[in-house]
Amino acid sequence: MRLDAPQKIDGQPVRYQSLWLLMRVYYAAHYETSPVTLASLKIRFGQAAGDMRMLVSRAFSDFARWGIAVGWGDDRQMDVRLLPTRGRGKGPFWLAPQEMSRIEVMIGDAAPADARRAIAAFLGLPLASVPDTQSPALDYVMQDIAFWHHLTLGKRDMQDGVFFAPPCAPSAGGPRRQQRTGAIPSFHAAQLCAVDDVQRGIALLAETIVWRRMGDAARTKRTLATLAATVDANRPGSPTLRAMHWIVQAWQAYASRDEAGALAHLHRISDDATLAPCLVYNPRIRFESRNLQALLHKSHAARNGPISARAQSAADALAAFSDALQAAFEADSIELAQHVAANIGLSLWLFWQGALIDPGRRLAAADVQRQALRWIGLSEWICDRFGVGGNSVWNTVFLLRIARGAVPARRDPDLETLRASTPLAVDAFLDAVQPFGAPFSRAKGFWRWTDVIVTTLDDHEEGRVRFEPLQLANLWFEMLWFALHQDGDSPQALHAARSLGRVLPLLPPPDRRFFRDALRLMPREFQREVRLAQ
């Protein structure tokens, strides 16, 4: 084939875009370690060609006419004749090994003395990226950095809780600000630009974590399946990426209430000699593993059963949470630290209330309650100072539960009995959380507990943040209890009961059972209002 004008194959004129793609896969097969991504075509022909699928389709028609087998997809060992044409337009593209010797590059009537530089010049690759001797390291850093750009944008949006691009706000005449892309679209773009399975796996892992945080089980499962195929344990690759794959699998099982499956996935890391060192030397992997183990122990401690076994699970949970907190700071991840600090605070209070820890009551209730609230305060202070947390409302839910938790639990109390309880006062809470009291301002409603909940719900109802059904159910439950305690049979309490009833059908059965039991802490007439609203 002739690369100088007019370009020809076997003496016949050829379509430039088709020849370019053929030369690009030929160049990649000879001099690079990765196939050609769709992003490469978009960079070269994005403005001129417009429709990438049409360009690819025409190119493969030309390849068939020329009798050259060009492959597509991730399995470069597959016989090209067996590849499904569906999805071909997404790439990546590669040249079957047996085709290499069938291609002879000519400029004029002879082969160029330096074929690599000649082909690079034809492709428009920077000549600086073509050394006299092959250097994989130099080739890697000279590749287009679009992958890292999209991945970084996605990570920032993921940190800020922006999972999809927000609608464009009308311009007020001021300077234009860069429109958010959204984490999911950015990670999709990164996957298209990835040059190898490690990069593709990094982007897929990030996308999977976002879907899991959003509570979208179906999309989490689909993305996990793609991730599993990309980081196949039978192929060499990044041990950290493979370990994180099992951790995300474990989280998905935990979210589906499959605790045995979650534990089995975690054991895949410790039982694999190539992955087990990650638990020692990689603090992020250690955090994720110990944090999830702590949640599994916490679930076991909350179940009915022998008190000795539950007490051991409670102790194991606190130990695992403590290890996870240390690992978070070793990993220099303040966001991970805020998550585990909140879990320590709630678990400490729940375990103490249930006499699973300190059964001899060596510690006073007020001291344990203040310490639990201080852990919540640390978590919220980190969110406030470092801008992390993804707009989670769990800290508010946890502190409300702990504040109410000092009240002796009575089944089906009448309204007078409930109102005679003495939950922790807001002023006492503000004193308890020092020196982490900055986020708990009067402007955020910290006058009365009902004001705190109203301010939080207003953020959701006015679209500033998005709460999941489980978070909303917890907020409406706390609103119902505190409204009844504060004002008795009031319009605010009735509204809370009906709002809780409307959100409960959106929850999975285990969560609905939790609220069914928790509602026994309310007067019967308000239990009935919740049921009627469902």
Side-chain angles (χ1 to χ4, degrees), residues 233-278:
N234 294 320
R235 298 205 309 261
S238 164
T240 300
L241 187 59
R242 290 166 52 212
M244 279 299 298
H245 157 248
W246 289 124
I247 285 170
V248 178
Q249 291 275 22
W251 273 109
Q252 177 68 358
Y254 176 78
S256 303
R257 307 304 195 274
D258 177 12
E259 294 182 5
L263 194 60
H265 288 313
L266 292 180
H267 285 163
R268 288 176 182 268
I269 303 173
S270 57
D271 293 345
D272 186 329
T274 65
L275 301 184
C278 293

Side-chain angles (χ1 to χ4, degrees), residues 294 297 313-323 343-344 347-348 351 357:
H297 289 311
S313 292
D316 290 343
L318 291 180
F321 277 136
S322 300
D323 288 349
N343 275 317
I344 289 174
S347 299
L348 170 62
F351 294 159
I357 55 175

Side-chain angles (χ1 to χ4, degrees), residues 386-403:
F386 289 87
V388 299
N391 295 322
S392 172
V393 72
W394 289 118
N395 282 345
T396 301
V397 171
F398 291 172
L399 72 88
L400 289 166
R401 187 168 182 181
I402 295 171

Side-chain angles (χ1 to χ4, degrees), residues 29-78:
H30 259 296
Y31 307 115
E32 297 175 338
T33 59
S34 303
V36 177
T37 65
L38 182 63
S40 300
L41 272 72
K42 290 182 177 179
I43 292 169
R44 179 63 184 85
F45 297 112
Q47 294 180 342
D51 189 340
M52 287 293 109
R53 286 183 297 179
M54 182 63 71
L55 184 152
V56 172
S57 178
R58 288 172 175 169
F60 274 87
S61 294
D62 289 338
F63 299 159
R65 191 171 65 255
W66 301 335
I68 299 174
V70 175
W72 61 92
D74 295 322
D75 188 354
R76 285 188 273 173
Q77 305 305 316
M78 177 73 76

Side-chain angles (χ1 to χ4, degrees), residues 100-167:
M100 299 288 290
S101 61
R102 301 185 57 219
I103 296 176
E104 183 180 9
V105 176
M106 308 285 287
I107 294 180
D109 296 324
D114 189 340
R116 183 173 188 180
R117 288 184 176 272
I119 299 171
F122 171 75
L123 295 172
L125 299 178
L127 293 179
S129 69
V130 185
D132 292 333
T133 59
Q134 184 175 354
S135 170
L138 183 59
D139 288 348
Y140 191 89
V141 298
M142 285 305 299
Q143 289 166 348
D144 189 276
I145 63 171
F147 168 81
W148 302 108
H149 173 237
H150 291 302
L151 186 71
T152 305
L153 286 177
K155 289 285 187 178
R156 179 55 202 246
D157 284 343
M158 181 180 176
Q159 175 179 300
D160 294 344
V162 181
F163 299 144
F164 290 97

